Amino acid sequence: MWKGSFQSIFGRVIKEMTEQTGLSEGDYGVLDRLALLGNGSLRQQELADSMDWDKSRLSHHLTRMEKRGLVMRKPLQSDRGIQVVITSAGQSILDEARPVVSQAIRKHFLDQLTAQDIESITKLAERTRTAHSSEGS
């Protein structure tokens, strides 16, 4: 039930983002990770790992994104790795997409919650966070 609900909501969010910005789910994932995890650039392998994609899938996707001017790849000086860098066009479209995604999440999920729902979710999140942090002790 949870998984189906999540997939339904997520699908609607992605659909709105794609319709309004032209970005696919994968495009947004790449750009968002480059901006948040790497301050604009990441090693290609780190990016693949963060997306749980194999190298081949990411490489093909990056080729399509490069053709659209959203990212560029360059060899690392220190070793045989590849650095993936967000371009100014990629950053601009990411900046355009973020509020679209936020509004869609609000519309399709948050606005559906009652005050009681939010209280229950908050309590559950706190309980699971506390349980998880005590496991690590």
Side-chain angles (χ1 to χ4, degrees), residues 46-64:
E46 290 175 300
L47 183 57
D49 292 345
S50 75
M51 296 188 71
D52 199 24
W53 285 9
D54 63 44
K55 281 174 61 173
S56 176
R57 178 180 181 188
L58 180 62
S59 182
H60 289 296
H61 196 87
L62 290 174
T63 297
R64 292 188 298 273

Side-chain angles (χ1 to χ4, degrees), residues 109-118 121:
F109 179 65
L110 298 175
D111 287 349
Q112 309 305 312
L113 301 176
T114 65
Q116 186 177 0
D117 293 335
I118 294 168
I121 291 168

